[in-house]
Amino acid sequence: RPRRSITVRAGLDEKDPSPSPVASSSTPSWLPLFAIPALGGALFGYDIGATSAVVRLLGTGSSDLGSLDSLQLGLMASLPLLGAMLASGVIIGAGDAKIGRKTELYTASILYAVGTAIQSLSGSLDLILLGRIVYGLGIGVAMHAAPLYIAETTPSNLRGKLVSL
């Protein structure tokens, strides 16, 4: 019995105007759906490491902010976690199913960017601390939405592996 080969052509179908997938694509379709939300976790991990180095530097008094006391250094390190806790509480209270995972991820990226901009452009400790809280709000939203979005968009045989990464 002869084998039939099935070819998937890229292009537009007369009935369906959306492009059809290319069979020879080497990138799995789930990879972008996993990689983009997973960056939220990577940014959080990077921030923890970077904060450690910055707090050590600020503790020496060799910055434009002058010498910071232990309370100010503690606020620098812990305010993003407070922002993350507040954002998680708000999302849980508002009902995340109503908001939607994509909207949550867009919101997280905006909060990350705004918080980073405030910290980068500020010249006073108060504005830096405000930026740390806003950045923390982004962390809270991303840490809430990213695992759920990954679980909802990846194939069931990879779901546990990808969510745990």
Side-chain angles (χ1 to χ4, degrees), residues 4-23:
R4 294 186 328 164
S5 64
I6 298 175
T7 335
V8 177
R9 67 177 178 83
L12 297 178
D13 189 344
E14 292 174 8
K15 296 177 185 171
D16 182 11
S18 62
S20 57
V22 178

Side-chain angles (χ1 to χ4, degrees), residues 108-130:
S109 64
I110 290 168
L111 289 168
Y112 273 137
V114 170
T116 301
I118 292 171
Q119 293 175 72
S120 300
L121 300 173
S122 66
S124 70
L125 180 64
D126 292 337
L127 281 177
I128 291 174
L129 295 177
L130 174 67

Side-chain angles (χ1 to χ4, degrees), residues 23-47:
S24 64
S25 175
S26 61
T27 305
S29 62
W30 55 264
L31 186 59
L33 297 173
F34 161 74
I36 301 300
L39 284 175
L43 284 172
F44 183 37
Y46 175 78
D47 181 66

Side-chain angles (χ1 to χ4, degrees), residues 25-107:
S25 175
S26 61
T27 305
S29 62
W30 55 264
L31 186 59
L33 297 173
F34 161 74
I36 301 300
L39 284 175
L43 284 172
F44 183 37
Y46 175 78
D47 181 66
I48 290 172
T51 299
S52 170
V54 169
V55 166
R56 192 172 325 142
L57 177 71
L58 290 174
T60 65
S62 61
S63 73
D64 291 342
L65 297 173
S67 182
L68 301 179
D69 62 22
S70 59
L71 175 65
Q72 292 168 325
L73 292 173
L75 287 173
M76 184 76 71
S78 63
L79 282 179
L81 300 176
L82 174 66
M85 187 173 65
L86 291 173
S88 292
V90 167
I91 289 173
I92 290 169
D96 64 338
K98 295 176 189 172
I99 300 169
R101 309 285 182 249
K102 276 188 177 181
T103 303
E104 286 182 59
L105 290 173
Y106 289 140
T107 303

